[in-house]
Amino acid sequence: MTTIVYRGVDDTVSEDVDDEQLNYREDHWQIHHGDDEYTYIPRERVYTVQMNDPHVITDE
């Protein structure tokens, strides 16, 4: 899983997606939602992209 946080139209959006759904292209990130549906996010609107490895155990 990957978490991408970006500036949306009205506010900040945090979205969890499968690694295969998120791609970086020259100047933007794209999230594939299925069929031919994509969300295109210019890189200047992206705050963070964090890959979440399910095999890593963290102590809290």
Side-chain angles (χ1 to χ4, degrees):
M1 289 297 281
T2 301
T3 301
I4 182 168
V5 180
Y6 59 94
R7 186 176 71 237
V9 175
D10 295 323
D11 56 3
T12 300
V13 177
S14 177
E15 192 167 342
D16 294 322
V17 296
D18 287 333
D19 295 341
E20 304 86 39
Q21 292 176 278
L22 185 65
N23 293 303
Y24 183 76
R25 305 284 186 226
E26 297 177 20
D27 62 350
H28 68 277
W29 288 89
Q30 75 180 34
I31 302 171
H32 183 235
H33 297 284
D35 296 329
D36 289 333
E37 294 183 42
Y38 293 88
T39 298
Y40 297 96
I41 309 160
R43 70 176 174 201
E44 58 271 2
R45 287 183 28 209
V46 175
Y47 298 122
T48 62
V49 176
Q50 179 180 355
M51 297 188 79
N52 305 308
D53 188 341
H55 300 97
V56 174
I57 299 172
T58 57
D59 294 327
E60 292 187 23

